[in-house]
Amino acid sequence: MRVVSGIQPTGQPHLGNYLGAIRNYVKLQDEAVAAGGECLIFLADLHAISMPHDPKELRASTLELVATLVACGVDPSKAILFNQAQVPAHAELQWLLNGTARMGWLNRMTQFKDKSGKNREGASVALFTYPVLQAADVLLYQATHVPVGEDQKQHLELARDIAQKFNNDFASEDNPVFTLPDPIIPPEAARIMSLRDGSAKMSKSDASDMSRINLADDADTMAKKIKKAKTDPEPLPSELKGLEDRPEALNLVSIYAALAETSVDAVLADHGGQGFGAFKPALADLLVARLGPIRNRFVELKEDRESLDAILARGAAQAREIGIPTLKAAYDAMGLIRG
Ligand code: TYM
């Protein structure tokens, strides 16, 4: 069992990142350790340069994100925690895989379409080839399990396509160079939506801070954001069917279910018939109970620059080691003389 996943150190990590991905990093880290496998969690700083960025902010948010992940339960004594830029094999393998990835495959990536918007010609080349780097990230380590939110599913399918084509072109079925990775997506939190618009996902890049719960928000801010979250005037139904065409209501109930580690049906069985005047405070209390301790740990850890640097240095050394055989196998399979 080899768990691999990444998160970009841009903007503020939020509830969508936590419920969609980070919480699964922690669960799978423990499963991997129990199974004698490894868990590698990295900060995708090389991905972050695909959009305009401020170098000073990138450096600061990379370190803050280490503190956030540790505060959430990623344990550097169990998981290998590092940043991409300290492991050059990611960028190296991406170049090799650029020979395998097809323009047509990348043209279909919805994230590129969303992020480039109407300004396709002005988008960076890195934004276009971003999914190939993501494929390199997981294939380098022979990942079996990749915990992600639903928005990354298409990128993972591309990673599988690249692995399969590479294996077909340069290796054999009995002796493949790359393992095909499986995405692990949590059913109740696959796609946490914005608190202001039930049709947009909760995102670090949303201009409105009221659209998301940041993991660094204090209790009052969290409660205020839930209170102001967009809803409708109807009370909650007692069955899922009653949430059809009510995206904002469905989102809040899904967040509750994910935080309580139960199903949407179970939440509706308990809260059906309640108006938002009663449900929102219950949700805010649950949120603060779950995220409050994480925030407190984060505030403490982020001041300890020395420990954060040490975690990254140690993680990078371990990751470099694990990546060596696969990178070598890829060079060899392609007929490149590397010495
Ligand atoms: P990023 O940094 O945008 O998000 C990190 C993780 O959080 C998940 N996520 C969500 N899940 C549910 N609801 C949401 N609203 C929500 N928003 C974000 C994302 O799905 C992701 O799992 N390209 C990736 C980083 C990456 C990566 C990788 C991931 C680079 N290489 C290799 C896995 C494997 C990204 O930008 O995630």
Side-chain angles (χ1 to χ4, degrees), residues 4-10 14-22 25 42 44 47 84 111 115 130 133-135 137-138 146-152 155-156 189-193 201-204:
V4 180
S5 198
I7 176 165
Q8 286 197 69
T10 42
H14 54 70
L15 184 67
N17 298 129
Y18 178 66
L19 295 175
I22 301 173
Y25 303 167
F42 63 91
H47 278 103
Q84 268 173 327
Q111 183 179 291
K115 285 201 176 171
Y130 175 121
L133 178 59
Q134 186 156 341
D137 294 337
V138 294
V146 184
V148 283
E150 198 182 55
D151 61 340
Q152 297 303 317
H155 288 160
L156 262 292
R191 196 174 171 82
I192 301 294
M193 307 309 276
K201 76 170 180 184
M202 187 177 284
S203 156
K204 296 177 198 135

Side-chain angles (χ1 to χ4, degrees), residues 109-231:
M109 294 295 114
T110 55
Q111 183 179 291
F112 175 72
K113 289 182 201 164
D114 291 348
K115 285 201 176 171
S116 59
K118 291 201 177 77
N119 187 23
R120 236 179 117 112
E121 294 295 306
S124 74
V125 174
L127 189 64
F128 187 67
T129 59
Y130 175 121
V132 187
L133 178 59
Q134 186 156 341
D137 294 337
V138 294
L139 300 182
L140 178 64
Y141 303 109
Q142 309 285 348
T144 54
H145 299 64
V146 184
V148 283
E150 198 182 55
D151 61 340
Q152 297 303 317
K153 195 169 165 214
Q154 194 187 33
H155 288 160
L156 262 292
E157 279 159 7
L158 181 90
R160 290 174 65 92
D161 289 343
I162 292 176
Q164 196 139 37
K165 180 166 165 53
F166 189 101
N167 287 340
N168 283 343
D169 291 352
F170 301 115
S172 65
E173 234 172 77
D174 323 328
N175 197 14
V177 172
F178 297 121
T179 304
L180 269 50
D182 280 319
I184 308 289
I185 300 174
E188 302 297 350
R191 196 174 171 82
I192 301 294
M193 307 309 276
S194 155
L195 299 179
R196 309 299 301 160
D197 173 1
S199 66
K201 76 170 180 184
M202 187 177 284
S203 156
K204 296 177 198 135
S205 54
D206 195 312
S208 164
D209 195 57
M210 293 302 282
S211 70
R212 64 184 161 260
I213 304 286
N214 301 310
L215 298 182
D217 284 344
D218 60 30
D220 288 349
T221 309
M222 283 185 199
K224 189 175 91 193
K225 286 179 176 176
I226 293 294
K227 192 167 171 204
K228 296 234 155 132
K230 188 176 167 199
T231 42

Side-chain angles (χ1 to χ4, degrees), residues 295-325:
R295 177 179 185 271
N296 295 343
R297 278 198 296 276
F298 163 72
V299 170
E300 222 172 87
L301 289 164
K302 81 175 170 126
E303 300 308 330
D304 191 352
R305 173 72 198 261
E306 223 172 281
S307 300
L308 300 178
D309 284 337
I311 290 171
L312 289 183
R314 182 162 166 266
Q318 291 173 297
R320 275 187 225 119
E321 203 56 38
I322 298 182
I324 289 171

Side-chain angles (χ1 to χ4, degrees), residues 26-104:
V26 179
K27 280 188 194 148
L28 289 166
Q29 137 197 298
D30 293 337
E31 282 178 33
V33 168
E38 289 84 21
C39 175
L40 296 101
I41 303 297
F42 63 91
L43 311 172
D45 50 3
L46 295 178
H47 278 103
I49 63 167
S50 60
M51 295 293 275
H53 76 284
D54 177 74
K56 238 168 84 207
E57 271 173 32
L58 179 59
R59 201 169 295 129
S61 38
T62 300
L63 290 165
E64 283 204 357
L65 191 50
V66 180
T68 303
L69 292 173
V70 175
C72 287
V74 175
D75 177 348
S77 70
K78 296 180 183 166
I80 299 172
L81 182 52
F82 65 101
N83 63 310
Q84 268 173 327
Q86 287 200 56
V87 186
H90 288 245
E92 239 180 303
L93 184 60
Q94 180 194 14
W95 181 255
L96 302 190
L97 298 180
N98 275 339
T100 298
R102 305 287 93 187
M103 291 291 288

